Amino acid sequence: MSEILVLVEQAEGEVKKVTLELLTLARSLGTPAAVWAGPGLTPEAKARLAEYGAEKIYVAPSSDVVDYVVAPKAELLAQLVTAKSAAAVLVAATAEGKEVAGRLAVKTDSGVITDAVGVGDGFVADQSIFGGGVNVHSRVRKGTPIIAVRPNSTAPVAAAGAGTEEEVSVTLSDAAKAARVVERVKQEKGARPELTEAAIVVSGGRGVGSAENFSVIEGLADALGAAVGASRAATDAGWYPHQFQVGQTGKTVSPQLYIAAGISGAIQHRAGMQTAKTIVAINKDPEAPIFELADYGVVGDLHQVVPQLTEEINKRK
Amino acid sequence: MNIVVCVKQVPDTATERKLRSDDNTLDRDAVDGVVNELDEYAVEEALKLKEAHGGEVTVLTMGPGKATETIRKALAMGADKAVHLSDDALHGSDALSTSYAMAQVLKKIGFDLVILGSESTDARTGVLPAMLAERLGTPQLTLANKVEVEGASITVQRLADYGYDKVEATLPAVVSVVEKINEPRYPSFKGIMAAKKKPVETLAIGDASIDAAQVGLAAAWSEVVDFAPAPPRAAGTIVKDEGDGGVNAADFLASKKFI
Ligand SMILES: Cc1cc2nc3c(=O)[nH]c(=O)nc-3n(C[C@H](O)[C@H](O)[C@H](O)COP(=O)(O)OP(=O)(O)OC[C@H]3O[C@@H](n4cnc5c(N)ncnc54)[C@H](O)[C@@H]3O)c2cc1C
Ligand SMILES: Cc1cc2nc3c(=O)[nH]c(=O)nc-3n(C[C@H](O)[C@H](O)[C@H](O)COP(=O)(O)OP(=O)(O)OC[C@H]3O[C@@H](n4cnc5c(N)ncnc54)[C@H](O)[C@@H]3O)c2cc1C
């Protein structure tokens, strides 16, 4: 069977959950081959990729691959698409993943599908568009299908693959080295699961009232093992860092459970969370649009309801 | 500095958006068109750079005739002139075709800096800025929440999961912006009046050496096979907090096995 290339997403050497999801998906489409772009492949990471079905692990250890913006990853993948006659390429539908997909599509003269929530026979992709209002089947019809898949679309299931490592030396063009990363500024991350990957997300909005009060949201998140998110009103006010913003211009999340506290449910916020499986809203305004989406809603003051909910969860554990 | 800012007309997100049943493309006639929100931030950034460094701001739009409304808005904010790529042959173009067509126009009109929004509200692919950088062979400085130009060198802060990357390059370059970058100005009355007199050049595909075989629905690299409205969400249960709202919510979460 032909190889399905999966671009590995990692943070400080640790393979992200979305990559395990993509490997699981790739197994249903062909032979999964993981692509590790850059230095830092550890034995643990290698084992993890193999555990989820990677038959091959292509590694391009040159630091050039990560020291320039996006283009080197696209060149690496383009080189592998040709060398291995890959049947398709799967990347995570993160902002950067989609950019890699875009450049790769141009390079290989292939079609690209973004924000797929599933991929089936013949590489027909499921897309959920217009804020979840319409379900689409779409398909690449020229070149090698390049598909950016949303995190949390497939449940990761282990099934061992050979995990044979193969080093790739990539020859980067000058154009690929035109935008150089001169500094990486890491902001606090904390111990919570990553926002786009978390099974549960608890978000706070303007109703939270202050940066200090976000501890109420964090308390609930920790009781549920959840990630913390925020509306733009909250990130703009400086109550919570911008990388936790959920919405059209923040992260798109599709967790099993999304809890929105003190968030009105503006269209731009909904664009980032509407595909959550279950939605719970806590808002003091019974007319807040977020209630139109909610599977369960509590009309009330979040400063009363959220701590009570947290306490109740901790009691029942 | 010669800045081109790409502005897309999109359906108002507050209205119901549909696909056409005849060819599975977005029904742009059925809804009001507005400026893609993030593109207002792109225009604002272009105007700020012009104010600081001099030069000219050109708006570039690819879209049907009614996209002129969008162009007028950008001109009213303060852009100097516009290029409107409009041709029936472009209908149904996917991201590959769109980036090809726009790159052809950019090569024709020339630029030091191209600024885009990082994502549209209708298709939301977020691939166009990267594709343009690839096609133009210029540095990709995307997802920027800060842009600084000094002579021929340009530095941006590129948003990342963990914070941001500081990225450097030399002009010409392609930049995309996120909404943290600035606060777009409202067009003044004077600006709105002045916009009516600003030059708008309309191009058909032949005017920009765009190959008809590379654009439009028939040429698309990807296609919509079929579509259906998502089943409506079942109406939820909404309760009023009578002192036990948290307990009620916990009961609900337990019924769904989250606790
Ligand atoms: C280009 C652009 C991009 C945008 N991108 C995003 C995005 O990515 N993400 C995003 O979230 N927004 C985005 N927005 C902003 C969006 O339009 C809204 O302004 C924002 O989502 C509002 O945040 P909020 O719901 O927290 O605040 P508000 O709309 O002010 O709502 C606060 C809610 O809290 C409730 N409340 C107040 N006090 C309490 C209390 N004590 N207990 C319970 N409830 C309480 C109120 O009833 C109200 O419903 C964008 C806007 C633009 C123009
Ligand atoms: C619901 C939906 C899903 C789609 N999915 C796909 C897909 O998976 N693959 C695919 O190849 N095509 C897809 N398309 C087609 C795609 O919309 C068009 O190719 C589009 O022109 C470019 O994509 P975008 O709007 O997502 O651009 P984005 O990359 O999201 O836009 C970024 C920026 O590019 C600029 N820009 C984009 N379009 C224009 C324009 N016409 N004129 C001026 N500036 C512009 C703006 O500055 C904008 O902020 C889809 C269309 C729809 C309606």
Side-chain angles (χ1 to χ4, degrees):
Chain A
M1 264 200 292
S2 307
E3 289 184 11
I4 312 292
L5 300 178
V6 171
L7 179 63
V8 176
E9 294 256 335
Q10 50 110 356
E12 275 146 33
E14 206 173 311
V15 177
K16 288 197 186 175
K17 185 170 129 234
V18 65
T19 299
L20 310 180
E21 296 168 7
L22 297 191
L23 287 171
T24 304
L25 182 60
R27 291 205 308 263
S28 68
L29 302 168
T31 305
V35 181
W36 186 278
L41 175 63
T42 59
E44 292 76 30
K46 222 183 116 174
R48 194 102 174 117
L49 295 170
E51 186 190 343
Y52 282 82
E55 291 296 333
K56 295 270 194 58
I57 302 172
Y58 299 119
V59 195
S62 159
S63 55
D64 277 356
V65 175
V66 290
D67 286 348
Y68 301 92
V69 175
V70 173
K73 288 182 180 161
E75 289 200 352
L76 165 64
L77 287 170
Q79 191 178 312
L80 285 168
V81 164
T82 311
K84 309 293 171 188
S85 312
V89 182
L90 303 182
V91 303
T94 56
E96 172 158 323
K98 294 204 280 184
E99 293 185 333
V100 173
R103 294 192 77 126
L104 176 63
V106 171
K107 277 190 181 303
T108 57
D109 196 27
S110 301
V112 60
I113 307 275
T114 60
D115 294 295
V117 292
V119 184
D121 281 352
F123 301 106
V124 172
D126 304 308
Q127 280 174 303
S128 162
I129 63 166
F130 302 150
V134 179
N135 294 332
V136 169
H137 287 122
S138 51
R139 190 174 70 89
V140 165
R141 56 177 201 199
K142 290 191 205 171
T144 309
I146 296 165
I147 306 177
V149 183
R150 279 224 183 121
N152 271 333
S153 310
T154 313
V157 179
T164 314
E165 187 176 333
E166 184 179 322
E167 194 170 312
V168 185
S169 77
V170 52
T171 336
L172 296 180
S173 67
D174 287 343
K177 297 202 260 184
R180 196 162 69 89
V181 179
V182 290
E183 193 186 343
R184 269 178 231 287
V185 180
K186 305 211 168 159
Q187 287 159 345
E188 66 197 279
K189 176 174 165 283
R192 297 192 185 89
E194 185 173 320
L195 191 49
T196 53
E197 308 220 311
I200 303 178
V201 174
V202 182
S203 288
R206 198 192 306 276
V208 174
S210 67
E212 299 73 57
N213 284 346
F214 251 84
S215 59
V216 174
I217 302 297
E218 292 182 330
L220 176 57
D222 292 342
L224 289 164
V228 174
S231 73
R232 178 172 168 203
T235 59
D236 274 2
W239 300 344
Y240 224 68
H242 69 76
Q243 66 264 41
F244 297 97
Q245 181 173 315
V246 171
Q248 185 198 307
T249 46
K251 300 275 157 58
T252 301
V253 300
S254 27
Q256 297 297 322
L257 171 65
Y258 187 86
I259 302 182
I263 292 177
S264 61
I267 189 93
Q268 297 91 346
H269 188 77
R270 292 159 66 143
M273 45 66 73
Q274 206 145 13
T275 51
K277 311 286 174 304
T278 301
I279 296 170
V280 172
I282 299 153
N283 195 304
K284 67 179 184 190
D285 174 10
E287 304 296 324
I290 191 77
F291 285 128
E292 292 163 18
L293 288 185
D295 297 290
Y296 195 83
V298 180
V299 179
D301 184 348
L302 74 90
H303 301 292
Q304 310 292 325
V305 177
V306 174
Q308 190 182 67
L309 173 57
T310 308
E311 196 190 309
E312 199 63 23
I313 293 167
N314 287 332
K315 242 196 277 178
R316 297 187 193 190
K317 267 187 196 164
Chain B
M1 191 163 34
N2 179 4
I3 306 171
V4 180
V5 43
C6 299
V7 175
K8 184 182 188 185
Q9 187 178 50
V10 295
D12 189 341
T13 42
T15 59
E16 194 194 341
R17 293 164 290 173
K18 293 199 184 84
L19 294 180
R20 281 165 48 161
S21 52
D22 55 346
D23 67 358
N24 297 348
T25 65
L26 177 62
D27 192 342
R28 294 186 189 274
D29 294 330
V31 287
D32 288 336
V34 297
V35 179
N36 181 41
E37 274 168 350
L38 273 174
D39 300 352
E40 293 184 21
Y41 295 75
V43 173
E44 177 64 32
E45 201 57 23
L47 295 174
K48 280 169 95 174
L49 287 168
K50 175 189 157 171
E51 282 153 14
H53 304 279
E56 199 175 41
V57 175
T58 306
V59 176
L60 169 58
T61 294
M62 164 173 152
K66 79 174 197 180
T68 43
E69 301 156 18
T70 293
I71 292 173
R72 290 293 164 202
K73 169 101 191 256
L75 292 174
M77 284 175 74
D80 300 293
K81 60 189 175 66
V83 174
H84 184 181
L85 175 63
S86 188
D87 197 313
D88 288 344
L90 295 165
H91 169 76
S93 293
D94 66 358
L96 273 292
S97 307
T98 304
S99 62
Y100 160 71
M102 288 183 45
Q104 290 300 97
V105 176
L106 287 163
K107 283 179 197 163
K108 176 184 149 73
I109 65 180
F111 59 90
D112 297 309
L113 194 57
V114 182
I115 308 184
L116 304 93
S118 48
E119 191 179 283
S120 69
T121 55
D122 56 355
R124 298 192 69 194
T125 68
V127 297
L128 217 70
M131 283 183 164
L132 278 185
E134 175 72 34
R135 291 199 187 273
L136 297 167
T138 47
Q140 175 188 332
L141 302 169
T142 47
L143 306 174
N145 75 343
K146 191 171 178 194
V147 177
E148 282 170 326
V149 174
E150 226 186 277
S153 73
I154 174 164
T155 309
V156 308
Q157 281 185 9
R158 169 182 168 81
L159 286 195
D161 270 348
Y162 44 77
Y164 63 86
D165 288 347
K166 207 172 147 196
V167 181
E168 276 179 11
T170 307
L171 296 177
V174 173
V175 164
S176 80
V177 301
V178 299
E179 96 291 351
K180 302 280 175 213
I181 195 165
N182 57 42
E183 201 44 63
R185 64 195 69 184
Y186 286 102
S188 64
F189 180 71
K190 219 175 117 210
I192 293 169
M193 296 315 286
K196 297 188 172 147
K197 299 200 188 73
K198 289 179 178 171
V200 178
E201 186 186 3
T202 304
L203 299 180
I205 59 171
D207 302 323
S209 316
I210 294 166
D211 176 1
Q214 304 285 314
V215 293
L217 197 57
W221 278 255
S222 55
E223 65 179 354
V224 170
V225 181
D226 56 40
F227 68 90
R233 272 193 109 91
T237 311
I238 312 293
V239 300
K240 194 169 174 322
D241 178 32
E242 308 280 7
D244 54 0
V247 176
N248 294 337
D251 289 342
F252 172 78
L253 294 183
S255 76
K256 293 279 179 186
K257 309 236 176 327
F258 288 113
I259 43 179

